[in-house]
Amino acid sequence: MLIIFIIFLVILLILAFLLFMRIVFLIDSDEDKYLIKAGGIINLDFYPDNELGSVRFKFLFFRKDINLADINKKRRSPNKLAEMKKEKNKFSKGSGRINAYNIRDILELLLKAIKRLTGKFRIKYMDIDFDTNNFFVNGNLIPLFSYLSTEKINICINFTGRRFISTSFYFRIGSLIPVIAGSYFRVRKYLK
């Protein structure tokens, strides 16, 4: 009985850790750094190359490098493509359950869900340095960008042709679950 309780407690702690773990996105186009970190346990780095780039996946002590150009070279066989087309045609015929009014309501609910989801992301910092290559437009954008800049968000305009973005934002899976579940149950009534 004690062993079952300990196993249950460990599983519960792991689930709580996964729900409240921060997933951090780091983007720095100036230094070509693109990184996703999940609680310090999982790291996913993207390194751009002359072709498609490569991805480095790290989980605790395990590290795997994946070249995206090699994955792109593996083509699907013609038989596999024909099977996929048949499956697509099989599901493309509608059952007549959704009409134009329902589609409009579903799209409205999805847009509200996207708005709620974006509200769950927290920005640590964002630096944007931008140039339109037009002096007149750059001059007109300076007041707008200075108005939009805050402590965490810094938007600059330059006249040198330099463009980059450097940002870090995060979210927690536990904060996304109520939004996703609520959106699912609202849309589900239209799909019956």
Side-chain angles (χ1 to χ4, degrees):
M1 186 69 180
L2 182 64
I3 294 174
I4 294 173
F5 177 73
I6 292 173
I7 292 172
F8 178 73
L9 188 63
V10 168
I11 291 173
L12 191 65
L13 287 174
I14 290 172
L15 286 175
F17 175 74
L18 290 176
L19 284 177
F20 297 109
M21 168 179 62
R22 277 187 177 182
I23 298 178
V24 180
F25 293 86
L26 299 170
I27 299 170
D28 190 354
S29 65
D30 199 29
E31 298 179 12
D32 285 337
K33 287 185 182 177
Y34 307 95
L35 173 67
I36 300 172
K37 291 182 179 181
I41 297 174
I42 300 171
N43 288 348
L44 191 66
D45 301 341
F46 175 75
Y47 299 102
D49 284 341
N50 5 353
E51 291 184 22
L52 291 176
S54 60
V55 175
R56 176 174 292 155
F57 175 74
K58 288 169 67 175
F59 178 72
L60 293 177
F61 303 110
F62 174 74
R63 188 168 106 185
K64 176 77 174 168
D65 291 333
I66 302 167
N67 191 354
L68 297 177
D70 294 340
I71 294 173
N72 192 31
K73 288 177 185 175
K74 296 177 183 177
R75 301 282 181 198
R76 295 183 176 137
S77 65
N79 295 337
K80 183 72 174 172
L81 289 174
E83 289 175 14
M84 288 175 61
K85 285 181 183 177
K86 285 180 185 177
E87 288 181 16
K88 184 179 178 184
N89 290 337
K90 183 172 70 174
F91 292 112
S92 65
K93 298 175 183 172
S95 61
R97 294 184 294 180
I98 300 176
N99 58 28
Y101 297 109
N102 288 349
I103 290 174
R104 186 176 23 180
D105 293 340
I106 290 171
L107 287 176
E108 184 179 328
L109 288 173
L110 288 176
L111 288 175
K112 287 180 183 177
I114 289 171
K115 184 178 178 182
R116 278 187 249 123
L117 277 175
T118 55
K120 299 299 180 182
F121 286 85
R122 301 289 179 239
I123 295 175
K124 285 186 181 178
Y125 66 88
M126 178 183 287
D127 292 328
I128 299 174
D129 202 352
F130 190 73
D131 184 17
T132 62
N133 292 332
N134 185 339
F135 289 112
F136 182 72
V137 174
N138 283 354
N140 288 332
L141 287 176
I142 288 174
L144 175 68
F145 286 176
S146 63
Y147 176 74
L148 293 175
S149 296
T150 63
E151 290 180 11
K152 294 181 180 181
I153 300 173
N154 182 23
I155 305 174
C156 298
I157 193 87
N158 65 48
F159 296 90
T160 60
R162 185 171 177 228
R163 295 179 186 162
F164 81 91
I165 182 170
S166 175
T167 185
S168 175
F169 58 93
Y170 68 92
F171 69 93
R172 289 190 166 93
I173 295 174
S175 65
L176 296 181
I177 289 175
V179 174
I180 294 171
S183 300
Y184 169 74
F185 288 117
R186 286 185 189 100
V187 171
R188 190 177 71 158
K189 70 178 180 181
Y190 292 105
L191 298 177
K192 287 184 179 179

